[in-house]
Tab-separated table of all heavy atoms in Angstrom:
chain	number	residue	atom	x	y	z
A	281	LEU	N	-141.063	62.693	-111.858
A	281	LEU	CA	-142.291	61.940	-111.758
A	281	LEU	C	-142.206	60.873	-110.663
A	281	LEU	O	-141.259	60.106	-110.596
A	281	LEU	CB	-142.559	61.263	-113.102
A	281	LEU	CG	-143.893	60.593	-113.301
A	281	LEU	CD1	-145.019	61.611	-113.202
A	281	LEU	CD2	-143.913	59.931	-114.667
A	282	PHE	N	-143.209	60.860	-109.781
A	282	PHE	CA	-143.356	59.802	-108.786
A	282	PHE	C	-144.509	58.911	-109.223
A	282	PHE	O	-145.552	59.402	-109.646
A	282	PHE	CB	-143.698	60.376	-107.404
A	282	PHE	CG	-142.536	61.011	-106.697
A	282	PHE	CD1	-142.368	62.384	-106.720
A	282	PHE	CD2	-141.640	60.244	-105.979
A	282	PHE	CE1	-141.311	62.975	-106.056
A	282	PHE	CE2	-140.580	60.822	-105.300
A	282	PHE	CZ	-140.417	62.191	-105.345
A	283	HIS	N	-144.340	57.613	-109.112
A	283	HIS	CA	-145.404	56.672	-109.444
A	283	HIS	C	-146.082	56.124	-108.202
A	283	HIS	O	-147.125	55.491	-108.298
A	283	HIS	CB	-144.852	55.510	-110.279
A	283	HIS	CG	-144.287	55.961	-111.580
A	283	HIS	ND1	-145.066	56.369	-112.632
A	283	HIS	CD2	-143.011	56.107	-111.994
A	283	HIS	CE1	-144.306	56.730	-113.648
A	283	HIS	NE2	-143.048	56.582	-113.277
A	284	ASN	N	-145.496	56.374	-107.040
A	284	ASN	CA	-146.015	55.862	-105.784
A	284	ASN	C	-146.370	57.054	-104.898
A	284	ASN	O	-145.515	57.867	-104.573
A	284	ASN	CB	-144.964	54.977	-105.117
A	284	ASN	CG	-145.424	54.418	-103.809
A	284	ASN	OD1	-145.608	55.158	-102.846
A	284	ASN	ND2	-145.604	53.115	-103.751
A	285	ARG	N	-147.627	57.148	-104.505
A	285	ARG	CA	-148.069	58.323	-103.744
A	285	ARG	C	-147.441	58.407	-102.363
A	285	ARG	O	-147.217	59.490	-101.838
A	285	ARG	CB	-149.586	58.358	-103.661
A	285	ARG	CG	-150.186	57.214	-102.881
A	285	ARG	CD	-151.680	57.243	-102.913
A	285	ARG	NE	-152.180	56.175	-102.049
A	285	ARG	CZ	-153.427	55.857	-101.967
A	285	ARG	NH1	-154.325	56.505	-102.664
A	285	ARG	NH2	-153.807	54.893	-101.164
A	286	GLU	N	-147.142	57.260	-101.734
A	286	GLU	CA	-146.542	57.287	-100.405
A	286	GLU	C	-145.101	57.789	-100.460
A	286	GLU	O	-144.665	58.551	-99.596
A	286	GLU	CB	-146.612	55.911	-99.743
A	286	GLU	CG	-148.004	55.504	-99.296
A	286	GLU	CD	-148.891	54.957	-100.413
A	286	GLU	OE1	-148.365	54.663	-101.516
A	286	GLU	OE2	-150.108	54.830	-100.190
A	287	ILE	N	-144.361	57.387	-101.476
A	287	ILE	CA	-142.990	57.877	-101.624
A	287	ILE	C	-143.006	59.363	-101.966
A	287	ILE	O	-142.223	60.145	-101.425
A	287	ILE	CB	-142.229	57.058	-102.677
A	287	ILE	CG1	-142.022	55.634	-102.149
A	287	ILE	CG2	-140.890	57.711	-103.028
A	287	ILE	CD1	-141.420	54.676	-103.138
A	288	ALA	N	-143.922	59.768	-102.825
A	288	ALA	CA	-144.063	61.190	-103.150
A	288	ALA	C	-144.371	61.993	-101.887
A	288	ALA	O	-143.805	63.070	-101.665
A	288	ALA	CB	-145.154	61.392	-104.194
A	289	LEU	N	-145.252	61.472	-101.040
A	289	LEU	CA	-145.604	62.154	-99.793
A	289	LEU	C	-144.393	62.269	-98.875
A	289	LEU	O	-144.174	63.309	-98.248
A	289	LEU	CB	-146.745	61.420	-99.090
A	289	LEU	CG	-147.228	62.035	-97.777
A	289	LEU	CD1	-147.795	63.438	-98.011
A	289	LEU	CD2	-148.266	61.133	-97.134
A	290	ALA	N	-143.586	61.219	-98.802
A	290	ALA	CA	-142.388	61.264	-97.953
A	290	ALA	C	-141.434	62.356	-98.412
A	290	ALA	O	-140.892	63.111	-97.592
A	290	ALA	CB	-141.687	59.910	-97.969
A	291	PHE	N	-141.235	62.496	-99.720
A	291	PHE	CA	-140.348	63.544	-100.218
A	291	PHE	C	-140.979	64.930	-100.082
A	291	PHE	O	-140.284	65.919	-99.873
A	291	PHE	CB	-139.916	63.259	-101.658
A	291	PHE	CG	-138.777	62.285	-101.704
A	291	PHE	CD1	-139.007	60.932	-101.866
A	291	PHE	CD2	-137.468	62.719	-101.540
A	291	PHE	CE1	-137.960	60.020	-101.874
A	291	PHE	CE2	-136.414	61.823	-101.544
A	291	PHE	CZ	-136.656	60.469	-101.718
A	292	TYR	N	-142.288	65.018	-100.151
A	292	TYR	CA	-142.981	66.285	-99.905
A	292	TYR	C	-142.735	66.751	-98.468
A	292	TYR	O	-142.398	67.910	-98.232
A	292	TYR	CB	-144.469	66.113	-100.183
A	292	TYR	CG	-145.336	67.217	-99.637
A	292	TYR	CD1	-145.265	68.502	-100.150
A	292	TYR	CD2	-146.233	66.973	-98.607
A	292	TYR	CE1	-146.072	69.515	-99.654
A	292	TYR	CE2	-147.042	67.969	-98.109
A	292	TYR	CZ	-146.956	69.241	-98.632
A	292	TYR	OH	-147.751	70.233	-98.131
A	293	LEU	N	-142.869	65.836	-97.515
A	293	LEU	CA	-142.623	66.195	-96.110
A	293	LEU	C	-141.165	66.581	-95.891
A	293	LEU	O	-140.875	67.542	-95.174
A	293	LEU	CB	-143.023	65.040	-95.189
A	293	LEU	CG	-144.515	64.762	-95.121
A	293	LEU	CD1	-144.793	63.489	-94.335
A	293	LEU	CD2	-145.256	65.943	-94.530
A	294	ALA	N	-140.261	65.860	-96.511
A	294	ALA	CA	-138.842	66.213	-96.402
A	294	ALA	C	-138.597	67.582	-97.012
A	294	ALA	O	-137.843	68.389	-96.469
A	294	ALA	CB	-137.979	65.153	-97.081
A	295	ALA	N	-139.239	67.873	-98.135
A	295	ALA	CA	-139.060	69.173	-98.792
A	295	ALA	C	-139.576	70.313	-97.927
A	295	ALA	O	-139.009	71.409	-97.926
A	295	ALA	CB	-139.757	69.178	-100.149
A	296	LEU	N	-140.647	70.072	-97.175
A	296	LEU	CA	-141.161	71.119	-96.290
A	296	LEU	C	-140.154	71.496	-95.210
A	296	LEU	O	-140.133	72.636	-94.753
A	296	LEU	CB	-142.474	70.673	-95.636
A	296	LEU	CG	-143.717	70.725	-96.503
A	296	LEU	CD1	-144.900	70.143	-95.739
A	296	LEU	CD2	-144.024	72.135	-96.962
A	297	THR	N	-139.332	70.551	-94.806
A	297	THR	CA	-138.336	70.838	-93.781
A	297	THR	C	-137.022	71.330	-94.380
A	297	THR	O	-136.164	71.805	-93.665
A	297	THR	CB	-138.032	69.593	-92.922
A	297	THR	OG1	-137.417	68.591	-93.733
A	297	THR	CG2	-139.297	69.036	-92.302
A	298	GLY	N	-136.875	71.199	-95.690
A	298	GLY	CA	-135.622	71.561	-96.354
A	298	GLY	C	-135.453	73.056	-96.544
A	298	GLY	O	-136.387	73.844	-96.382
A	299	HIS	N	-134.242	73.417	-96.895
A	299	HIS	CA	-133.904	74.806	-97.185
A	299	HIS	C	-133.837	74.966	-98.694
A	299	HIS	O	-133.228	74.160	-99.382
A	299	HIS	CB	-132.554	75.180	-96.559
A	299	HIS	CG	-132.595	75.096	-95.074
A	299	HIS	ND1	-133.135	76.078	-94.282
A	299	HIS	CD2	-132.195	74.120	-94.225
A	299	HIS	CE1	-133.051	75.721	-93.024
A	299	HIS	NE2	-132.477	74.531	-92.955
A	300	GLY	N	-134.443	75.999	-99.191
A	300	GLY	CA	-134.466	76.208	-100.631
A	300	GLY	C	-135.753	75.674	-101.221
A	300	GLY	O	-136.491	74.900	-100.608
A	301	LYS	N	-136.027	76.097	-102.428
A	301	LYS	CA	-137.265	75.732	-103.101
A	301	LYS	C	-137.182	74.318	-103.662
A	301	LYS	O	-136.153	73.899	-104.172
A	301	LYS	CB	-137.548	76.709	-104.237
A	301	LYS	CG	-138.866	76.472	-104.904
A	301	LYS	CD	-139.167	77.522	-105.939
A	301	LYS	CE	-140.527	77.242	-106.544
A	301	LYS	NZ	-140.912	78.265	-107.498
A	302	SER	N	-138.286	73.608	-103.562
A	302	SER	CA	-138.415	72.279	-104.157
A	302	SER	C	-139.545	72.320	-105.170
A	302	SER	O	-140.533	73.031	-104.987
A	302	SER	CB	-138.735	71.227	-103.099
A	302	SER	OG	-137.652	71.032	-102.245
A	303	THR	N	-139.388	71.571	-106.241
A	303	THR	CA	-140.449	71.461	-107.235
A	303	THR	C	-140.747	69.988	-107.468
A	303	THR	O	-139.868	69.139	-107.372
A	303	THR	CB	-140.055	72.121	-108.570
A	303	THR	OG1	-138.870	71.502	-109.066
A	303	THR	CG2	-139.809	73.614	-108.397
A	304	PHE	N	-142.008	69.719	-107.763
A	304	PHE	CA	-142.465	68.371	-108.054
A	304	PHE	C	-143.105	68.392	-109.431
A	304	PHE	O	-144.007	69.181	-109.686
A	304	PHE	CB	-143.494	67.907	-107.010
A	304	PHE	CG	-142.898	67.615	-105.668
A	304	PHE	CD1	-142.599	68.644	-104.782
A	304	PHE	CD2	-142.625	66.328	-105.289
A	304	PHE	CE1	-142.044	68.371	-103.549
A	304	PHE	CE2	-142.080	66.035	-104.059
A	304	PHE	CZ	-141.779	67.070	-103.187
A	305	GLU	N	-142.651	67.495	-110.307
A	305	GLU	CA	-143.174	67.446	-111.672
A	305	GLU	C	-144.669	67.161	-111.686
A	305	GLU	O	-145.407	67.715	-112.482
A	305	GLU	CB	-142.431	66.378	-112.476
A	305	GLU	CG	-142.849	66.311	-113.922
A	305	GLU	CD	-142.056	65.290	-114.692
A	305	GLU	OE1	-140.831	65.195	-114.494
A	305	GLU	OE2	-142.674	64.566	-115.490
A	306	ASN	N	-145.122	66.295	-110.816
A	306	ASN	CA	-146.548	65.944	-110.769
A	306	ASN	C	-147.058	66.025	-109.336
A	306	ASN	O	-147.420	65.024	-108.736
A	306	ASN	CB	-146.787	64.562	-111.377
A	306	ASN	CG	-146.129	63.451	-110.579
A	306	ASN	OD1	-145.098	63.654	-109.951
A	306	ASN	ND2	-146.721	62.279	-110.584
A	307	PHE	N	-147.117	67.233	-108.800
A	307	PHE	CA	-147.561	67.418	-107.421
A	307	PHE	C	-148.982	66.883	-107.210
A	307	PHE	O	-149.381	66.577	-106.097
A	307	PHE	CB	-147.480	68.890	-107.028
A	307	PHE	CG	-147.739	69.128	-105.571
A	307	PHE	CD1	-146.812	68.744	-104.628
A	307	PHE	CD2	-148.917	69.714	-105.150
A	307	PHE	CE1	-147.045	68.936	-103.271
A	307	PHE	CE2	-149.160	69.921	-103.801
A	307	PHE	CZ	-148.220	69.529	-102.866
A	308	GLU	N	-149.726	66.714	-108.297
A	308	GLU	CA	-151.097	66.221	-108.193
A	308	GLU	C	-151.176	64.859	-107.510
A	308	GLU	O	-152.166	64.569	-106.841
A	308	GLU	CB	-151.743	66.122	-109.584
A	308	GLU	CG	-151.911	67.450	-110.277
A	308	GLU	CD	-150.635	67.974	-110.938
A	308	GLU	OE1	-149.701	67.181	-111.197
A	308	GLU	OE2	-150.569	69.182	-111.160
A	309	ILE	N	-150.160	64.023	-107.666
A	309	ILE	CA	-150.197	62.707	-107.018
A	309	ILE	C	-150.271	62.860	-105.498
A	309	ILE	O	-150.869	62.042	-104.815
A	309	ILE	CB	-148.983	61.824	-107.426
A	309	ILE	CG1	-149.226	60.364	-107.021
A	309	ILE	CG2	-147.695	62.329	-106.819
A	309	ILE	CD1	-148.219	59.383	-107.570
A	310	ILE	N	-149.718	63.931	-104.978
A	310	ILE	CA	-149.789	64.200	-103.538
A	310	ILE	C	-151.080	64.947	-103.227
A	310	ILE	O	-151.857	64.546	-102.367
A	310	ILE	CB	-148.570	65.020	-103.076
A	310	ILE	CG1	-147.265	64.284	-103.388
A	310	ILE	CG2	-148.673	65.347	-101.583
A	310	ILE	CD1	-146.030	65.137	-103.280
A	311	ASN	N	-151.307	66.034	-103.935
A	311	ASN	CA	-152.448	66.902	-103.654
A	311	ASN	C	-153.785	66.195	-103.857
A	311	ASN	O	-154.711	66.390	-103.083
A	311	ASN	CB	-152.371	68.156	-104.516
A	311	ASN	CG	-153.171	69.292	-103.949
A	311	ASN	OD1	-153.238	69.463	-102.735
A	311	ASN	ND2	-153.766	70.073	-104.810
A	312	ASP	N	-153.898	65.345	-104.892
A	312	ASP	CA	-155.154	64.641	-105.153
A	312	ASP	C	-155.424	63.533	-104.138
A	312	ASP	O	-156.580	63.229	-103.840
A	312	ASP	CB	-155.149	64.027	-106.556
A	312	ASP	CG	-155.210	65.083	-107.657
A	312	ASP	OD1	-155.437	66.267	-107.356
A	312	ASP	OD2	-155.004	64.704	-108.826
A	313	ASN	N	-154.375	62.918	-103.609
A	313	ASN	CA	-154.540	61.815	-102.665
A	313	ASN	C	-154.588	62.258	-101.206
A	313	ASN	O	-155.135	61.548	-100.360
A	313	ASN	CB	-153.420	60.786	-102.849
A	313	ASN	CG	-153.591	60.002	-104.132
A	313	ASN	OD1	-154.463	59.153	-104.212
A	313	ASN	ND2	-152.797	60.301	-105.138
A	314	TYR	N	-154.006	63.393	-100.900
A	314	TYR	CA	-153.927	63.872	-99.510
A	314	TYR	C	-154.266	65.370	-99.434
A	314	TYR	O	-153.509	66.150	-98.860
A	314	TYR	CB	-152.519	63.654	-98.954
A	314	TYR	CG	-152.013	62.240	-99.087
A	314	TYR	CD1	-151.122	61.892	-100.098
A	314	TYR	CD2	-152.422	61.249	-98.207
A	314	TYR	CE1	-150.646	60.588	-100.225
A	314	TYR	CE2	-151.960	59.943	-98.321
A	314	TYR	CZ	-151.073	59.629	-99.335
A	314	TYR	OH	-150.617	58.351	-99.455
A	315	PRO	N	-155.394	65.818	-99.986
A	315	PRO	CA	-155.654	67.264	-100.061
A	315	PRO	C	-155.737	67.957	-98.704
A	315	PRO	O	-155.172	69.039	-98.530
A	315	PRO	CB	-156.970	67.358	-100.824
A	315	PRO	CG	-157.626	66.031	-100.634
A	315	PRO	CD	-156.498	65.041	-100.529
A	316	ASP	N	-156.424	67.364	-97.741
A	316	ASP	CA	-156.541	67.991	-96.423
A	316	ASP	C	-155.194	68.030	-95.707
A	316	ASP	O	-154.865	69.003	-95.034
A	316	ASP	CB	-157.566	67.253	-95.557
A	316	ASP	CG	-158.968	67.334	-96.136
A	316	ASP	OD1	-159.254	68.309	-96.870
A	316	ASP	OD2	-159.778	66.429	-95.867
A	317	PHE	N	-154.424	66.971	-95.865
A	317	PHE	CA	-153.109	66.902	-95.250
A	317	PHE	C	-152.184	67.969	-95.835
A	317	PHE	O	-151.444	68.624	-95.108
A	317	PHE	CB	-152.517	65.507	-95.450
A	317	PHE	CG	-151.236	65.284	-94.713
A	317	PHE	CD1	-151.228	65.116	-93.341
A	317	PHE	CD2	-150.026	65.253	-95.394
A	317	PHE	CE1	-150.048	64.910	-92.652
A	317	PHE	CE2	-148.842	65.049	-94.722
A	317	PHE	CZ	-148.847	64.874	-93.344
A	318	VAL	N	-152.235	68.168	-97.145
A	318	VAL	CA	-151.399	69.182	-97.797
A	318	VAL	C	-151.733	70.571	-97.264
A	318	VAL	O	-150.839	71.336	-96.906
A	318	VAL	CB	-151.553	69.124	-99.336
A	318	VAL	CG1	-150.919	70.336	-99.999
A	318	VAL	CG2	-150.951	67.842	-99.882
A	319	VAL	N	-153.009	70.897	-97.178
A	319	VAL	CA	-153.412	72.216	-96.656
A	319	VAL	C	-152.921	72.385	-95.223
A	319	VAL	O	-152.360	73.421	-94.862
A	319	VAL	CB	-154.946	72.388	-96.745
A	319	VAL	CG1	-155.402	73.618	-95.980
A	319	VAL	CG2	-155.383	72.474	-98.202
A	320	MET	N	-153.109	71.361	-94.392
A	320	MET	CA	-152.678	71.439	-92.996
A	320	MET	C	-151.163	71.635	-92.891
A	320	MET	O	-150.693	72.488	-92.161
A	320	MET	CB	-153.089	70.173	-92.249
A	320	MET	CG	-152.677	70.166	-90.786
A	320	MET	SD	-153.119	68.641	-89.941
A	320	MET	CE	-152.042	67.458	-90.741
């Protein structure tokens, strides 16, 4: 669980560059706050 959307976003971006699958318990904190950015 992330309580801060900016920190969650930073780890999301790091996960996109990482090797292997990443999971987020509450991906909604990222997707709900940055939907267009996530799609892009």
Side-chain angles (χ1 to χ4, degrees):
L281 189 62
F282 285 99
H283 298 287
N284 180 293
R285 65 184 185 187
E286 288 80 12
I287 292 174
L289 181 62
F291 278 94
Y292 165 67
L293 292 172
L296 283 175
T297 65
H299 297 280
K301 185 175 182 177
S302 292
T303 59
F304 288 80
E305 183 178 318
N306 65 330
F307 188 71
E308 296 80 20
I309 194 170
I310 302 166
N311 201 36
D312 291 350
N313 288 286
Y314 307 101
D316 296 334
F317 187 73
V318 169
V319 169
M320 180 182 68

